[in-house]
Amino acid sequence: MHETARASLDVVARHLDHVLRTNEIPDYPGAMNGVQVEHDGPITRCAVAVDASLRTIEAAISCNANLLIVHHGLFWGGSQPIRGRIFQRVRRLIAHDIAVYASHLPLDLHPTLGNNALMARALELTTSTGFAHFQSIAIGVMGDADVETVTLAARCDALARREGGQLVAVGATPQRRTRRWALCTGAGASSDTVRVAAAAGVDTLIVGEGPHHTAVEASELGIAVLYVGHYATETFGVRALGEEIEHTFGIPWTFVAAPTGL
Ligand SMILES: [Zn+2]
């Protein structure tokens, strides 16, 4: 028989803030990285999910978790009255003593726990440098390869399908080879990332999602774009945080799948 591991929210949050450099990494105001909701605790089980939604909160309740770790926190929409679905989220969290910890860009760019680093590894790509900056900080990664673009696209599609999505590949024509790639998870494609990719000699851009015009612009520049899905590309980091907490504190964790198909 073994004792159930537990730790206080303060201790776990301090550890995560340190590992993720939460206070040093700039982010969008709505990200509100760190503890978003407190609880009485102590933590006995973590649930990790991409989004803080009613669906993931219900799943956290079902698996008896009292810490929910997310990539997209409760405040993406900015200041809002605590009414309707927002009220339902807050009410469910407090009624079940569930704390919420969010990590957006600090988790995207982390060299060992981050969405970008782990997705590159899952695609069998070796990173050489950073790509796609927010303020002064590189969020994505890039590197050199020598692989058929359709082979890379097939790896991306397998990854997307594992997470309930599917790949949209633009310009991945047969026989074409990927020699320099760049990756930016989530909403990674923009006119800016396409322009930066072209300037860096990137021939294949791998992203979560992006607007239609990014496909048009990339085609004109001879860049293939693999849109793997916002959700699918951001399941890596929160899982890594679950493992990190189990490894450090012995607290068990559960990944809550809540794909949107996007
Ligand atoms: Zn995202």
Side-chain angles (χ1 to χ4, degrees):
M1 196 175 137
H2 64 274
E3 231 177 281
T4 310
R6 47 185 63 201
S8 77
L9 178 63
D10 273 355
V11 169
V12 172
R14 209 176 310 131
H15 176 73
L16 293 181
D17 287 344
H18 172 72
V19 168
L20 294 164
R21 297 162 58 217
T22 301
N23 299 323
E24 297 160 51
I25 308 289
D27 211 326
Y28 305 94
M32 212 173 277
N33 295 315
V35 174
Q36 295 194 334
V37 177
E38 271 187 10
H39 67 174
D40 288 333
I43 302 162
T44 53
R45 174 176 285 275
C46 298
V48 305
V50 174
D51 300 286
S53 61
L54 262 180
R55 190 170 162 193
T56 60
I57 291 165
E58 293 299 339
I61 294 168
S62 299
C63 67
N64 285 319
N66 63 349
L67 171 62
L68 175 61
I69 295 180
V70 292
H71 186 51
H72 306 133
L74 292 162
F75 304 106
W76 276 106
S79 304
Q80 289 181 64
I82 301 179
R83 300 181 65 183
R85 64 188 179 81
I86 308 289
F87 171 64
Q88 293 303 331
R89 288 177 183 175
V90 172
R91 178 163 76 170
R92 299 294 280 157
L93 288 168
I94 292 172
H96 291 268
D97 200 38
I98 298 174
V100 176
Y101 183 97
S103 188
H104 182 236
L105 295 185
L107 187 55
D108 277 326
L109 58 78
H110 194 276
T112 56
L113 306 174
N115 287 317
N116 286 279
L118 292 175
M119 182 166 162
R121 204 166 75 187
L123 294 175
E124 301 168 48
L125 296 171
T126 307
T127 297
S128 59
T129 188
F131 172 77
H133 287 70
F134 176 76
Q135 297 178 10
S136 60
I137 304 225
I139 310 300
V141 290
M142 62 180 279
D144 295 323
D146 189 10
V147 59
E148 271 198 48
T149 306
V150 289
T151 303
L152 190 52
R155 288 178 202 160
C156 287
D157 192 44
L159 190 155
R161 286 176 192 279
R162 271 201 304 278
E163 306 296 347
Q166 63 173 36
L167 173 75
V168 175
V170 175
T173 48
Q175 269 92 56
R176 182 188 194 279
R177 294 196 81 78
T178 292
R179 300 192 197 275
R180 181 165 292 174
W181 57 272
L183 165 63
C184 191
T185 59
S190 64
S191 294
D192 208 38
T193 46
V194 170
R195 184 179 53 74
V196 172
V202 167
D203 57 63
T204 306
L205 181 59
I206 307 161
V207 295
E209 64 171 333
H212 165 75
H213 66 83
T214 58
V216 176
E217 290 161 9
S219 302
E220 288 176 348
L221 292 162
I223 298 173
V225 189
L226 307 177
Y227 299 89
V228 188
H230 192 134
Y231 176 86
T233 60
E234 297 194 327
T235 55
F236 296 92
V238 289
R239 281 188 171 111
L241 289 185
E243 281 168 14
E244 171 68 20
I245 289 173
E246 180 162 30
H247 175 74
T248 309
F249 300 102
I251 295 170
W253 62 282
T254 305
F255 172 71
V256 171
T260 53
L262 299 172

